[in-house]
Amino acid sequence: MFDAMMEKILVMNYKLIFVYFLLSILGILIIYSADYNTALGHVNKGYYLRQIVFVLTGITLFFIFSFINYRLWIHFALYIFIFGIGLLLFVLYFSPPINGARSWINVGFFSLQPSEFMKVAAIILTSTMFLNYDGRLLGFLGVARYSIPVLVSVALIILQPDQGTALVYVLMFGLLILAVGLRLYVLLSFGVLTLLSLPLVWSLLKPYQRERVMVILDPGRDPFNAGYQVIQSKIAIGAGGIPGKGYLEGTQSNLNFIPYPHNDFIFTIAAEEFGFIGSVIIILLVLFLIYTVFISAYNVKEMPAKVIIICTATLLLTQFIVNTYMVLGLIPVIGIPFPFLSYGGSSYLTFAILLGIVHSIHISRRLQV
């Protein structure tokens, strides 16, 4: 057993591990700064202490999932998915609403968000559906068949309601089927249907959701309500300039101008304190991690393993793009955390588990087991 463990250690993907650890440490430092009060000289709520626990737990899970053969999770995929559905149904019927949504289960130390962990279940079950994939381009029936796990998950998440997380699922699956390959008529049909459905989607939006969209075009139309976060975020990013104001010197966060600075708007804090240079470095680190994950797909033969890798990479890419576009005021504020930087146990642990499974695929390929 010791020899087998040493073989796995020798073939680990140290580039992936290094970037994952570095982003996690940066996340703790920025969360500390987001909660720091210059006048008082200390943090207000201690979010960084809980994030340290999340990071240590996540790193432990990362290595556990790295050293367990990924095929085990594929074997139990349906049971994992059913368990995830059970959690989503539990929050719908038994969890008290928080900020108007039933999305969390209070487990004492932190609030568990089943829709985050459901990403793992949906990805694994989707991968099993490609066991007998013959390599042909997907038609409508193929897309419909492979989309079942995601559609079931999205339907329950929308009922919470949590449209932001549901959108991430849809974008992740859309990028997956694009990577697998679509017939031209299917691709064109989806494009036309998307354009035709926009008026219907707009009519289904609630007034506050429509206002968030309109604020993108004109943040000044509601500067103290819907447009407040976007305006303050842009001020903070612009104030950072090229070099940044310096660590713990961000006035927008220290003076509490930015709502939820430790979570959805964590990138704003980084941009103000580390400036354009620091922001570019963080972006490059995230893109390098996504590239490191995605490039693994070209080095494995089993289609389920490819699907897990592609979904993990596209999930990282989707949340990264949505969050950064959101804080820049390019899309409506929909509450999507920045991977590994934002405060939150459910999101961080979900990505840690997914990276662990991807790393397990890498190790299995290198050892040919």
Side-chain angles (χ1 to χ4, degrees):
M1 181 177 290
F2 177 77
D3 290 339
M5 181 63 69
M6 286 303 299
E7 286 183 346
K8 291 182 178 180
I9 292 174
L10 290 173
V11 299
M12 289 196 302
N13 190 332
Y14 288 100
K15 291 185 292 185
L16 184 148
I17 294 173
F18 174 75
V19 179
Y20 161 46
F21 282 15
L22 183 56
L23 285 171
S24 300
I25 293 170
L26 281 172
I28 294 172
L29 293 174
I30 301 172
I31 290 168
Y32 178 89
S33 180
D35 201 28
Y36 186 78
N37 188 301
T38 304
L40 299 176
H42 60 73
V43 294
N44 295 321
K45 299 180 180 179
Y47 286 116
Y48 79 100
L49 291 174
R50 276 174 280 182
Q51 188 69 10
I52 290 174
V53 175
F54 296 148
V55 168
L56 292 176
T57 305
I59 289 173
T60 302
L61 288 173
F62 169 79
F63 282 114
I64 290 174
F65 278 82
S66 293
F67 294 136
I68 296 176
N69 193 301
Y70 69 94
R71 296 181 184 88
L72 176 67
W73 312 118
I74 293 176
H75 180 73
F76 291 105
L78 182 59
Y79 301 103
I80 296 171
F81 186 79
I82 292 173
F83 177 74
I85 291 296
L87 289 178
L88 289 178
L89 290 173
F90 180 88
V91 297
L92 280 177
Y93 291 101
F94 300 105
S95 292
I98 300 176
N99 294 329
R102 298 179 183 272
S103 302
W104 295 272
I105 301 174
N106 191 336
V107 293
F109 179 70
F110 80 109
S111 295
L112 175 71
Q113 190 173 0
S115 60
E116 287 291 334
F117 291 105
M118 192 62 189
K119 294 172 184 175
V120 179
I123 288 172
I124 294 174
L125 185 59
T126 300
S127 74
T128 65
M129 303 180 76
F130 283 87
L131 278 168
N132 298 316
Y133 177 66
D134 56 10
R136 290 186 294 181
L137 297 177
L138 299 179
F140 283 118
L141 290 178
V143 172
R145 175 173 175 266
Y146 293 129
S147 67
I148 291 173
V150 169
L151 290 179
V152 173
S153 305
V154 166
L156 292 176
I157 292 169
I158 288 176
L159 290 175
Q160 293 179 356
D162 185 357
Q163 292 90 345
T165 301
L167 176 64
V168 168
Y169 275 76
V170 172
L171 292 175
M172 177 192 72
F173 180 74
L175 291 173
L176 169 65
I177 61 173
L178 283 175
V180 172
L182 291 171
R183 296 182 184 275
L184 182 59
Y185 73 88
V186 177
L187 183 61
L188 294 175
S189 298
F190 278 130
V192 172
L193 286 173
T194 300
L195 292 175
L196 293 177
S197 66
L198 290 179
L200 175 61
V201 172
W202 180 261
S203 67
L204 294 175
L205 292 178
K206 296 180 180 179
Y208 76 90
Q209 293 172 325
R210 294 183 187 178
E211 189 62 26
R212 286 182 177 180
V213 175
M214 296 304 296
V215 160
I216 299 303
L217 302 175
D218 180 18
R221 64 183 280 124
D222 192 6
F224 300 107
N225 190 15
Y228 180 79
Q229 289 176 305
V230 174
I231 291 172
Q232 297 301 324
S233 178
K234 288 182 177 181
I235 291 173
I237 293 171
I242 301 297
K245 290 186 173 181
Y247 186 57
L248 302 181
E249 299 297 328
T251 53
Q252 291 299 107
S253 58
N254 289 340
L255 297 177
N256 297 319
F257 284 111
I258 302 174
Y260 306 107
H262 56 283
N263 196 335
D264 298 340
F265 283 79
I266 195 72
F267 186 71
T268 301
I269 309 304
E272 183 180 19
E273 297 190 352
F274 304 141
F276 177 78
I277 296 174
S279 300
V280 169
I281 291 173
I282 291 173
I283 290 171
L284 290 176
L285 284 173
V286 175
L287 291 178
F288 182 76
L289 177 64
I290 295 170
Y291 169 79
T292 304
V293 171
F294 190 76
I295 201 67
S296 302
Y298 292 99
N299 298 319
V300 294
K301 296 181 179 179
E302 298 178 39
M303 193 60 189
K306 284 182 178 287
V307 171
I308 292 173
I309 290 170
I310 293 171
C311 283
T312 301
T314 55
L315 184 62
L316 280 166
L317 180 64
T318 297
Q319 289 204 199
F320 160 68
I321 290 177
V322 169
N323 182 273
T324 51
Y325 275 42
M326 182 180 70
V327 302
L328 290 170
L330 300 176
I331 61 173
V333 176
I334 54 176
I336 298 298
F338 193 108
F340 300 111
L341 262 62
S342 290
Y343 168 81
S346 297
S347 176
Y348 184 90
L349 296 179
T350 296
F351 276 122
I353 290 170
L354 286 172
L355 283 185
I357 297 174
V358 169
H359 198 216
S360 171
I361 295 170
H362 167 84
I363 292 172
S364 297
R365 181 186 64 81
R366 291 291 301 274
L367 296 178
Q368 297 182 346
V369 294

